[in-house]
Amino acid sequence: MANILLPISAGFEEVELVSLVDVLRRGGAEVRIAYVDSEFETDLIVGDNGITIKADTSLKNVISEDFDMILLAGGWDNAYSLRDNARVQKLIKEFYNDGKVVGAMCASVLALKKAEVLGSEYTCYPFAKDEVDHEGYREDKMVVTDGNIMTSRGPGTALCFGLEILKRMVGVESYQAVKDGMLLDFCE
């Protein structure tokens, strides 16, 4: 079973977070939502559109060896928090250096840029590409895989991103079962 770490902070993009967690859990992956520590110290995290999600644990309780992938949902405030948080940056680099999969979507690709793990191809939210400021931006793909780095564009691509992660982390059979069951024929 694949174990996936999904750190979040206030201002996360709800559609992305819920879509990723739902698709991955349906397909048999274990997904742990870890809140980025703040002065408020709560596991109830409010998203960009006012929807509250209860995280599974605090990021300070996470041991990278327990996970196969780190995955970042977007949302502007969340993206900046993930980019600027020393613990998140350390984890991204640990996962990358250990050959594990690192994924990000929407504006959270900013955190991958700061961690210096972006490769030759990636995608992100179109309005974030100038701020990411990295060669290799692909606007023609919903999901881009470049070695162990997986990226996706934004809320409308979250289900397809979840499927691609599922295919890689769990397998083609699980991918196909979830794709068929959720009527996701529009995903490549």
Side-chain angles (χ1 to χ4, degrees), residues 79-166:
Y80 292 132
S81 293
L82 298 175
R83 179 196 67 190
D84 297 338
N85 183 279
R87 177 83 171 122
V88 172
Q89 286 295 304
K90 182 177 185 280
L91 286 168
I92 291 169
K93 290 174 185 176
E94 279 180 27
F95 277 71
Y96 181 79
N97 291 333
D98 290 345
K100 296 179 181 182
V101 181
V102 176
M105 68 180 310
C106 197
S108 70
V109 172
L110 289 166
L112 302 189
K113 166 69 177 200
K114 182 171 182 183
E116 300 179 341
V117 301
L118 277 179
S120 59
E121 288 191 344
Y122 72 98
T123 195
C124 65
Y125 195 72
F127 293 126
K129 76 178 175 96
D130 290 336
E131 194 168 343
V132 172
D133 190 29
H134 187 82
E135 292 290 323
Y137 173 72
R138 297 290 305 264
E139 66 183 35
D140 60 327
K141 291 189 170 188
M142 286 192 279
V143 176
V144 173
T145 300
D146 184 5
N148 282 350
I149 303 295
M150 298 181 75
T151 55
S152 189
R153 297 192 67 180
T157 65
L159 292 169
C160 299
F161 190 35
L163 277 178
E164 286 302 313
I165 294 167
L166 192 59

Side-chain angles (χ1 to χ4, degrees):
M1 175 187 336
N3 291 307
I4 300 171
L5 172 64
L6 210 163
I8 64 168
S9 63
F12 66 90
E13 169 51 58
E14 295 96 336
V15 168
E16 293 171 6
L17 178 78
V18 172
S19 295
L20 289 169
V21 172
D22 183 274
V23 168
L24 292 166
R25 286 183 178 169
R26 280 178 196 250
E30 176 69 34
V31 181
R32 303 266 304 162
I33 302 169
Y35 66 91
V36 175
D37 307 324
S38 70
E39 65 272 17
F40 302 112
E41 289 300 321
T42 178
D43 59 358
L44 297 175
I45 311 301
V46 180
D48 192 42
N49 296 295
I51 299 171
T52 301
I53 295 288
K54 185 178 186 315
D56 300 310
T57 190
S58 168
L59 194 63
K60 68 183 172 190
N61 297 328
V62 167
I63 300 169
S64 64
E65 292 82 19
D66 292 343
F67 297 93
D68 306 302
M69 177 183 192
I70 187 169
L71 177 59
L72 311 177
W76 286 105
D77 290 345
N78 182 56
Y80 292 132
S81 293
L82 298 175
R83 179 196 67 190
D84 297 338
N85 183 279
R87 177 83 171 122
V88 172
Q89 286 295 304
K90 182 177 185 280
L91 286 168
I92 291 169
K93 290 174 185 176
E94 279 180 27
F95 277 71
Y96 181 79
N97 291 333
D98 290 345
K100 296 179 181 182
V101 181
V102 176
M105 68 180 310
C106 197
S108 70
V109 172
L110 289 166
L112 302 189
K113 166 69 177 200
K114 182 171 182 183
E116 300 179 341
V117 301
L118 277 179
S120 59
E121 288 191 344
Y122 72 98
T123 195
C124 65
Y125 195 72
F127 293 126
K129 76 178 175 96
D130 290 336
E131 194 168 343
V132 172
D133 190 29
H134 187 82
E135 292 290 323
Y137 173 72
R138 297 290 305 264
E139 66 183 35
D140 60 327
K141 291 189 170 188
M142 286 192 279
V143 176
V144 173
T145 300
D146 184 5
N148 282 350
I149 303 295
M150 298 181 75
T151 55
S152 189
R153 297 192 67 180
T157 65
L159 292 169
C160 299
F161 190 35
L163 277 178
E164 286 302 313
I165 294 167
L166 192 59
K167 184 190 297 183
R168 180 169 185 156
M169 302 303 294
V170 179
V172 175
E173 287 181 23
S174 181
Y175 159 87
Q176 196 62 53
V178 172
K179 183 178 180 183
D180 292 346
M182 291 184 71
L183 307 175
L184 296 175
D185 295 336
F186 56 88
C187 293
E188 301 171 359

